[in-house]
Amino acid sequence: MTPSPLPFVHLDSVPDAGICFDATLTDAWALDAAKLALDGVPDDLEVHLQVDLQTDPTNPRARTGLAVTGTIRARFPDHCSRCLRPVHVRLDGPVDLRYMPQPETDLEEMMLSEDDLDAGWLDSGRLDMQAPVSEQLALMGRSRYRCEDQDVDLAEGATGACTVPTHEAGPDLVRPSPFAALANIRLPE
């Protein structure tokens, strides 16, 4: 494995042993990728990625794409979707992504196989390493988090049970039923 400080990988320059990318919050490119996926600044970020060549089995010299594998761990602030208390969400999991050179033909006219649907495109034979980081974090995340979820910790100072907040002042938040008017109708016998 060859360590690389650069956030780009060129298809033609990947050695047979692959390229290793390790990054944390101190690496600007990884932090920017995490901000994009998490829609905020993470508290913690750890990226361990291995980029390997994919070749054609019938012609091992033909470079058909890149395989990005490894692990990503992140922790970021959010709010509980139920009680609105501040929480910290942990994302931790494996990475297994594929990237292929963009075909010469128009993408709208190209027929894709089922395997092509699981791959991203290289830009002029180049992979910006922010792409797999932000893509994987977005795939690992959810749209809502609750205090009782296994990957959620209450923020420091947050106490109490996770309940829906009550609204004591202001308008009634319960919508009346559209069928309430039918309750007083008397039908002829």
Side-chain angles (χ1 to χ4, degrees), residues 51-97:
V51 179
D52 293 307
L53 280 174
Q54 288 184 302
T55 58
D56 184 343
T58 61
N59 180 6
R61 292 179 155 220
R63 297 170 177 236
T64 59
L66 297 173
V68 180
T69 57
T71 60
I72 292 182
R73 185 176 57 83
R75 184 174 184 259
F76 64 97
D78 205 343
H79 288 87
C80 174
S81 295
R82 181 183 297 144
C83 69
L84 306 178
R85 290 185 295 177
V87 295
H88 291 281
V89 179
R90 297 179 317 276
L91 300 178
D92 189 0
V95 178
D96 189 9
L97 301 170

Short mmCIF file of all heavy atoms in Angstrom, two decimals, residues 51-97:
data_model
loop_
_atom_site.label_atom_id
_atom_site.label_comp_id
_atom_site.label_asym_id
_atom_site.label_seq_id
_atom_site.Cartn_x
_atom_site.Cartn_y
_atom_site.Cartn_z
N VAL A 51 -7.80 2.22 -2.37
CA VAL A 51 -8.24 2.32 -3.76
C VAL A 51 -7.45 1.30 -4.57
O VAL A 51 -6.21 1.34 -4.60
CB VAL A 51 -8.00 3.74 -4.32
CG1 VAL A 51 -8.44 3.82 -5.77
CG2 VAL A 51 -8.72 4.78 -3.48
N ASP A 52 -8.17 0.38 -5.21
CA ASP A 52 -7.55 -0.66 -6.02
C ASP A 52 -8.07 -0.61 -7.43
O ASP A 52 -9.20 -0.16 -7.68
CB ASP A 52 -7.83 -2.05 -5.42
CG ASP A 52 -7.15 -2.25 -4.09
OD1 ASP A 52 -5.92 -2.04 -4.02
OD2 ASP A 52 -7.85 -2.61 -3.12
N LEU A 53 -7.25 -1.11 -8.36
CA LEU A 53 -7.65 -1.18 -9.76
C LEU A 53 -8.62 -2.31 -9.99
O LEU A 53 -8.53 -3.37 -9.36
CB LEU A 53 -6.43 -1.45 -10.64
CG LEU A 53 -5.55 -0.29 -10.98
CD1 LEU A 53 -4.33 -0.78 -11.74
CD2 LEU A 53 -6.31 0.72 -11.82
N GLN A 54 -9.54 -2.10 -10.89
CA GLN A 54 -10.37 -3.18 -11.39
C GLN A 54 -9.91 -3.41 -12.82
O GLN A 54 -9.68 -2.46 -13.57
CB GLN A 54 -11.84 -2.79 -11.39
CG GLN A 54 -12.44 -2.72 -10.01
CD GLN A 54 -13.93 -2.43 -10.10
OE1 GLN A 54 -14.34 -1.43 -10.66
NE2 GLN A 54 -14.72 -3.32 -9.54
N THR A 55 -9.74 -4.68 -13.16
CA THR A 55 -9.27 -5.02 -14.50
C THR A 55 -10.23 -5.97 -15.17
O THR A 55 -11.05 -6.61 -14.52
CB THR A 55 -7.87 -5.66 -14.45
OG1 THR A 55 -7.94 -6.82 -13.62
CG2 THR A 55 -6.84 -4.70 -13.88
N ASP A 56 -10.10 -6.06 -16.47
CA ASP A 56 -10.90 -6.98 -17.28
C ASP A 56 -10.30 -8.38 -17.10
O ASP A 56 -9.11 -8.56 -17.33
CB ASP A 56 -10.85 -6.54 -18.74
CG ASP A 56 -11.74 -7.38 -19.64
OD1 ASP A 56 -12.15 -8.48 -19.22
OD2 ASP A 56 -12.01 -6.92 -20.76
N PRO A 57 -11.11 -9.38 -16.68
CA PRO A 57 -10.55 -10.72 -16.47
C PRO A 57 -9.92 -11.31 -17.74
O PRO A 57 -8.99 -12.10 -17.66
CB PRO A 57 -11.75 -11.57 -16.03
CG PRO A 57 -12.80 -10.60 -15.66
CD PRO A 57 -12.51 -9.31 -16.34
N THR A 58 -10.41 -10.92 -18.90
CA THR A 58 -9.85 -11.45 -20.15
C THR A 58 -8.60 -10.71 -20.57
O THR A 58 -7.83 -11.21 -21.37
CB THR A 58 -10.89 -11.38 -21.28
OG1 THR A 58 -11.25 -10.01 -21.48
CG2 THR A 58 -12.13 -12.20 -20.93
N ASN A 59 -8.40 -9.50 -20.04
CA ASN A 59 -7.22 -8.71 -20.37
C ASN A 59 -6.78 -7.95 -19.11
O ASN A 59 -7.20 -6.83 -18.88
CB ASN A 59 -7.53 -7.73 -21.51
CG ASN A 59 -6.33 -6.89 -21.89
OD1 ASN A 59 -5.23 -7.10 -21.39
ND2 ASN A 59 -6.55 -5.95 -22.77
N PRO A 60 -5.93 -8.56 -18.28
CA PRO A 60 -5.53 -7.95 -17.01
C PRO A 60 -4.86 -6.58 -17.14
O PRO A 60 -4.79 -5.84 -16.19
CB PRO A 60 -4.56 -8.97 -16.41
CG PRO A 60 -4.87 -10.26 -17.09
CD PRO A 60 -5.37 -9.90 -18.45
N ARG A 61 -4.38 -6.23 -18.34
CA ARG A 61 -3.76 -4.92 -18.53
C ARG A 61 -4.80 -3.81 -18.73
O ARG A 61 -4.49 -2.64 -18.62
CB ARG A 61 -2.81 -4.94 -19.71
CG ARG A 61 -1.60 -5.80 -19.43
CD ARG A 61 -0.70 -5.82 -20.63
NE ARG A 61 0.65 -6.11 -20.19
CZ ARG A 61 1.71 -5.55 -20.67
NH1 ARG A 61 1.61 -4.66 -21.63
NH2 ARG A 61 2.89 -5.86 -20.21
N ALA A 62 -6.03 -4.20 -19.05
CA ALA A 62 -7.10 -3.22 -19.29
C ALA A 62 -7.66 -2.76 -17.95
O ALA A 62 -8.26 -3.54 -17.21
CB ALA A 62 -8.20 -3.82 -20.15
N ARG A 63 -7.48 -1.49 -17.63
CA ARG A 63 -7.98 -0.92 -16.38
C ARG A 63 -9.43 -0.49 -16.59
O ARG A 63 -9.70 0.45 -17.31
CB ARG A 63 -7.11 0.27 -15.98
CG ARG A 63 -5.68 -0.14 -15.70
CD ARG A 63 -4.77 1.05 -15.53
NE ARG A 63 -3.43 0.61 -15.21
CZ ARG A 63 -2.76 1.00 -14.14
NH1 ARG A 63 -3.28 1.88 -13.31
NH2 ARG A 63 -1.56 0.53 -13.90
N THR A 64 -10.34 -1.19 -15.93
CA THR A 64 -11.76 -0.93 -16.16
C THR A 64 -12.40 -0.03 -15.11
O THR A 64 -13.53 0.40 -15.28
CB THR A 64 -12.56 -2.25 -16.20
OG1 THR A 64 -12.37 -2.93 -14.96
CG2 THR A 64 -12.10 -3.12 -17.35
N GLY A 65 -11.68 0.24 -14.03
CA GLY A 65 -12.25 1.11 -13.01
C GLY A 65 -11.49 1.03 -11.70
O GLY A 65 -10.41 0.44 -11.62
N LEU A 66 -12.07 1.65 -10.68
CA LEU A 66 -11.46 1.67 -9.36
C LEU A 66 -12.43 1.11 -8.33
O LEU A 66 -13.64 1.37 -8.40
CB LEU A 66 -11.09 3.11 -8.97
CG LEU A 66 -10.05 3.80 -9.85
CD1 LEU A 66 -9.93 5.27 -9.44
CD2 LEU A 66 -8.71 3.10 -9.74
N ALA A 67 -11.91 0.36 -7.39
CA ALA A 67 -12.68 -0.15 -6.26
C ALA A 67 -12.21 0.59 -5.01
O ALA A 67 -11.01 0.63 -4.74
CB ALA A 67 -12.48 -1.64 -6.10
N VAL A 68 -13.13 1.18 -4.28
CA VAL A 68 -12.80 1.89 -3.05
C VAL A 68 -13.40 1.10 -1.89
O VAL A 68 -14.62 0.92 -1.82
CB VAL A 68 -13.35 3.34 -3.07
CG1 VAL A 68 -12.99 4.05 -1.77
CG2 VAL A 68 -12.82 4.10 -4.27
N THR A 69 -12.53 0.61 -1.00
CA THR A 69 -12.99 -0.17 0.15
C THR A 69 -12.36 0.42 1.41
O THR A 69 -11.40 1.19 1.35
CB THR A 69 -12.59 -1.65 0.02
OG1 THR A 69 -11.17 -1.73 -0.15
CG2 THR A 69 -13.28 -2.30 -1.17
N GLY A 70 -12.88 0.03 2.55
CA GLY A 70 -12.32 0.49 3.81
C GLY A 70 -13.40 0.75 4.84
O GLY A 70 -14.46 0.12 4.83
N THR A 71 -13.16 1.74 5.72
CA THR A 71 -14.12 2.09 6.76
C THR A 71 -14.17 3.61 6.94
O THR A 71 -13.19 4.30 6.67
CB THR A 71 -13.74 1.47 8.13
OG1 THR A 71 -12.46 1.94 8.52
CG2 THR A 71 -13.76 -0.04 8.07
N ILE A 72 -15.32 4.07 7.38
CA ILE A 72 -15.50 5.48 7.73
C ILE A 72 -16.24 5.55 9.06
O ILE A 72 -17.20 4.80 9.29
CB ILE A 72 -16.32 6.24 6.66
CG1 ILE A 72 -15.53 6.35 5.36
CG2 ILE A 72 -16.70 7.63 7.16
CD1 ILE A 72 -16.23 7.11 4.27
N ARG A 73 -15.75 6.43 9.92
CA ARG A 73 -16.40 6.65 11.21
C ARG A 73 -16.55 8.16 11.39
O ARG A 73 -15.61 8.92 11.17
CB ARG A 73 -15.56 6.06 12.34
CG ARG A 73 -16.22 6.16 13.70
CD ARG A 73 -15.39 5.48 14.77
NE ARG A 73 -14.04 5.99 14.87
CZ ARG A 73 -13.71 7.09 15.55
NH1 ARG A 73 -14.63 7.79 16.17
NH2 ARG A 73 -12.46 7.50 15.60
N ALA A 74 -17.75 8.59 11.75
CA ALA A 74 -17.99 10.02 11.96
C ALA A 74 -18.94 10.19 13.14
O ALA A 74 -19.73 9.30 13.46
CB ALA A 74 -18.58 10.66 10.71
N ARG A 75 -18.86 11.35 13.76
CA ARG A 75 -19.77 11.73 14.85
C ARG A 75 -20.13 13.19 14.60
O ARG A 75 -19.26 14.02 14.36
CB ARG A 75 -19.07 11.58 16.19
CG ARG A 75 -19.94 11.85 17.38
CD ARG A 75 -19.16 11.52 18.66
NE ARG A 75 -19.98 11.67 19.83
CZ ARG A 75 -19.92 12.74 20.63
NH1 ARG A 75 -19.09 13.71 20.39
NH2 ARG A 75 -20.71 12.81 21.69
N PHE A 76 -21.45 13.49 14.63
CA PHE A 76 -21.87 14.86 14.34
C PHE A 76 -23.08 15.26 15.18
O PHE A 76 -23.85 14.40 15.62
CB PHE A 76 -22.19 15.02 12.85
CG PHE A 76 -23.34 14.19 12.37
CD1 PHE A 76 -24.61 14.75 12.25
CD2 PHE A 76 -23.18 12.86 12.02
CE1 PHE A 76 -25.68 13.99 11.80
CE2 PHE A 76 -24.24 12.11 11.57
CZ PHE A 76 -25.49 12.68 11.45
N PRO A 77 -23.22 16.57 15.44
CA PRO A 77 -24.36 17.05 16.23
C PRO A 77 -25.63 17.11 15.39
O PRO A 77 -25.60 17.38 14.19
CB PRO A 77 -23.92 18.44 16.67
CG PRO A 77 -22.95 18.88 15.63
CD PRO A 77 -22.29 17.65 15.11
N ASP A 78 -26.75 16.83 16.05
CA ASP A 78 -28.06 16.91 15.41
C ASP A 78 -29.08 17.11 16.52
O ASP A 78 -28.72 17.36 17.66
CB ASP A 78 -28.34 15.64 14.62
CG ASP A 78 -29.34 15.85 13.48
OD1 ASP A 78 -30.04 16.87 13.47
OD2 ASP A 78 -29.39 14.99 12.58
N HIS A 79 -30.36 16.98 16.19
CA HIS A 79 -31.43 17.07 17.18
C HIS A 79 -32.33 15.85 17.07
O HIS A 79 -32.53 15.32 15.96
CB HIS A 79 -32.27 18.34 16.95
CG HIS A 79 -31.54 19.58 17.33
ND1 HIS A 79 -30.72 20.25 16.45
CD2 HIS A 79 -31.49 20.25 18.49
CE1 HIS A 79 -30.21 21.29 17.06
NE2 HIS A 79 -30.64 21.32 18.29
N CYS A 80 -32.86 15.43 18.19
CA CYS A 80 -33.81 14.32 18.20
C CYS A 80 -35.06 14.75 17.42
O CYS A 80 -35.57 15.86 17.62
CB CYS A 80 -34.18 13.98 19.64
SG CYS A 80 -35.48 12.73 19.78
N SER A 81 -35.53 13.88 16.54
CA SER A 81 -36.71 14.20 15.74
C SER A 81 -37.99 14.23 16.57
O SER A 81 -38.98 14.81 16.15
CB SER A 81 -36.87 13.18 14.61
OG SER A 81 -35.81 13.28 13.72
N ARG A 82 -37.98 13.60 17.73
CA ARG A 82 -39.17 13.56 18.57
C ARG A 82 -39.19 14.68 19.60
O ARG A 82 -40.12 15.48 19.66
CB ARG A 82 -39.27 12.21 19.29
CG ARG A 82 -40.50 12.11 20.15
CD ARG A 82 -40.57 10.82 20.92
NE ARG A 82 -40.66 9.70 20.02
CZ ARG A 82 -40.08 8.52 20.25
NH1 ARG A 82 -39.37 8.32 21.34
NH2 ARG A 82 -40.20 7.54 19.41
N CYS A 83 -38.14 14.78 20.42
CA CYS A 83 -38.16 15.73 21.54
C CYS A 83 -37.34 17.00 21.27
O CYS A 83 -37.37 17.92 22.08
CB CYS A 83 -37.66 15.06 22.81
SG CYS A 83 -35.91 14.66 22.79
N LEU A 84 -36.61 17.03 20.17
CA LEU A 84 -35.83 18.19 19.74
C LEU A 84 -34.62 18.50 20.62
O LEU A 84 -34.01 19.55 20.47
CB LEU A 84 -36.72 19.43 19.60
CG LEU A 84 -37.94 19.27 18.71
CD1 LEU A 84 -38.77 20.54 18.71
CD2 LEU A 84 -37.52 18.89 17.30
N ARG A 85 -34.26 17.58 21.55
CA ARG A 85 -33.05 17.79 22.35
C ARG A 85 -31.81 17.59 21.49
O ARG A 85 -31.84 16.81 20.53
CB ARG A 85 -33.00 16.82 23.52
CG ARG A 85 -34.04 17.11 24.56
CD ARG A 85 -33.88 16.21 25.74
NE ARG A 85 -34.14 14.82 25.33
CZ ARG A 85 -34.02 13.79 26.14
NH1 ARG A 85 -33.65 13.94 27.38
NH2 ARG A 85 -34.28 12.58 25.72
N PRO A 86 -30.72 18.27 21.82
CA PRO A 86 -29.48 18.07 21.05
C PRO A 86 -28.90 16.67 21.30
O PRO A 86 -28.88 16.19 22.43
CB PRO A 86 -28.55 19.16 21.57
CG PRO A 86 -29.10 19.56 22.89
CD PRO A 86 -30.57 19.29 22.86
N VAL A 87 -28.45 16.03 20.23
CA VAL A 87 -27.84 14.70 20.30
C VAL A 87 -26.57 14.68 19.45
O VAL A 87 -26.32 15.60 18.66
CB VAL A 87 -28.81 13.60 19.81
CG1 VAL A 87 -30.02 13.49 20.71
CG2 VAL A 87 -29.23 13.84 18.37
N HIS A 88 -25.79 13.63 19.63
CA HIS A 88 -24.63 13.36 18.78
C HIS A 88 -24.88 12.02 18.10
O HIS A 88 -25.16 11.02 18.77
CB HIS A 88 -23.34 13.30 19.60
CG HIS A 88 -22.94 14.63 20.13
ND1 HIS A 88 -22.32 15.58 19.37
CD2 HIS A 88 -23.10 15.17 21.35
CE1 HIS A 88 -22.10 16.65 20.09
NE2 HIS A 88 -22.57 16.43 21.31
N VAL A 89 -24.78 12.00 16.78
CA VAL A 89 -25.03 10.80 15.99
C VAL A 89 -23.70 10.19 15.58
O VAL A 89 -22.79 10.90 15.15
CB VAL A 89 -25.86 11.14 14.74
CG1 VAL A 89 -26.11 9.90 13.90
CG2 VAL A 89 -27.18 11.79 15.13
N ARG A 90 -23.61 8.85 15.73
CA ARG A 90 -22.41 8.12 15.32
C ARG A 90 -22.70 7.33 14.05
O ARG A 90 -23.68 6.58 14.00
CB ARG A 90 -21.97 7.15 16.41
CG ARG A 90 -21.56 7.79 17.70
CD ARG A 90 -21.16 6.75 18.76
NE ARG A 90 -22.02 5.59 18.85
CZ ARG A 90 -23.15 5.52 19.55
NH1 ARG A 90 -23.57 6.57 20.21
NH2 ARG A 90 -23.86 4.41 19.60
N LEU A 91 -21.87 7.50 13.04
CA LEU A 91 -21.94 6.69 11.83
C LEU A 91 -20.64 5.91 11.75
O LEU A 91 -19.56 6.47 11.87
CB LEU A 91 -22.10 7.57 10.59
CG LEU A 91 -23.33 8.46 10.53
CD1 LEU A 91 -23.31 9.30 9.27
CD2 LEU A 91 -24.60 7.63 10.59
N ASP A 92 -20.74 4.62 11.55
CA ASP A 92 -19.56 3.77 11.52
C ASP A 92 -19.86 2.57 10.64
O ASP A 92 -20.83 1.85 10.89
CB ASP A 92 -19.23 3.32 12.95
CG ASP A 92 -17.89 2.62 13.06
OD1 ASP A 92 -17.21 2.47 12.02
OD2 ASP A 92 -17.53 2.22 14.17
N GLY A 93 -19.06 2.39 9.60
CA GLY A 93 -19.34 1.25 8.75
C GLY A 93 -18.34 1.06 7.64
O GLY A 93 -17.44 1.87 7.43
N PRO A 94 -18.52 -0.04 6.90
CA PRO A 94 -17.61 -0.36 5.81
C PRO A 94 -17.92 0.46 4.55
O PRO A 94 -19.03 0.95 4.38
CB PRO A 94 -17.88 -1.84 5.56
CG PRO A 94 -19.31 -2.02 5.95
CD PRO A 94 -19.53 -1.07 7.10
N VAL A 95 -16.91 0.58 3.71
CA VAL A 95 -17.05 1.24 2.41
C VAL A 95 -16.76 0.21 1.34
O VAL A 95 -15.78 -0.54 1.45
CB VAL A 95 -16.04 2.41 2.29
CG1 VAL A 95 -16.15 3.07 0.92
CG2 VAL A 95 -16.25 3.42 3.39
N ASP A 96 -17.61 0.14 0.33
CA ASP A 96 -17.39 -0.75 -0.81
C ASP A 96 -18.04 -0.11 -2.02
O ASP A 96 -19.22 -0.36 -2.32
CB ASP A 96 -17.97 -2.13 -0.53
CG ASP A 96 -17.59 -3.15 -1.59
OD1 ASP A 96 -16.74 -2.82 -2.44
OD2 ASP A 96 -18.14 -4.27 -1.57
N LEU A 97 -17.30 0.76 -2.70
CA LEU A 97 -17.83 1.53 -3.82
C LEU A 97 -17.00 1.27 -5.08
O LEU A 97 -15.81 0.95 -5.00
CB LEU A 97 -17.81 3.03 -3.51
CG LEU A 97 -18.61 3.45 -2.27
CD1 LEU A 97 -18.31 4.90 -1.92
CD2 LEU A 97 -20.09 3.26 -2.52
#
